[in-house]
Amino acid sequence: MSHQPLPGAMELRLDMDEAAITEAAETALIGIHATRLPRHVGHPADDFDLLWQADGTAILTIRLWQELQPPFRHAVVVLVLTFQKGCVSGVEECVRRSFGG
């Protein structure tokens, strides 16, 4: 099954810092039910993971890639999402780590 993001799904860019990423995530994901969450992530399925934790939060990890020339700079973004009544209620934490030239 292929990943089919919905129009307006959250898309992050390599040049975004943690504040901009948090804002984009809150804008696109708050109020989205957990069962529909993957379709609101506008990145290829191979580039993100969604891990549910026993404490009721979820970790959304997204890999961002430079699309032009080697050495292919990239970054990893980790968001901890909180839920209320099954829907995303906030971004508890955002970490961004850059790699490459």
Side-chain angles (χ1 to χ4, degrees):
M1 186 167 103
S2 65
H3 177 62
Q4 301 276 332
L6 295 170
M10 179 186 70
E11 291 189 48
L12 304 178
R13 297 182 318 275
L14 194 57
D15 64 342
M16 295 173 87
D17 63 11
E18 291 173 347
I21 291 167
T22 299
E23 183 179 337
E26 289 174 342
T27 299
L29 303 180
I30 287 186
I32 302 300
H33 194 273
T35 58
R36 296 180 18 235
L37 189 55
R39 297 213 39 220
H40 288 270
V41 177
H43 293 272
D46 289 346
D47 287 341
F48 76 89
D49 298 299
L50 186 58
L51 306 169
W52 305 98
Q53 300 190 108
D55 67 359
T57 62
I59 298 174
L60 176 60
T61 304
I62 302 173
R63 291 165 293 285
L64 305 175
W65 299 93
Q66 177 185 21
E67 298 179 13
L68 303 175
Q69 299 293 322
F72 300 112
R73 291 179 35 238
H74 61 287
V76 174
V77 172
V78 178
L79 298 166
V80 178
L81 305 175
T82 58
F83 293 83
Q84 190 170 57
K85 296 182 180 180
C87 296
V88 176
S89 60
V91 177
E92 184 174 284
E93 186 176 351
C94 174
V95 177
R96 181 190 183 285
R97 174 98 191 261
S98 294
F99 303 93

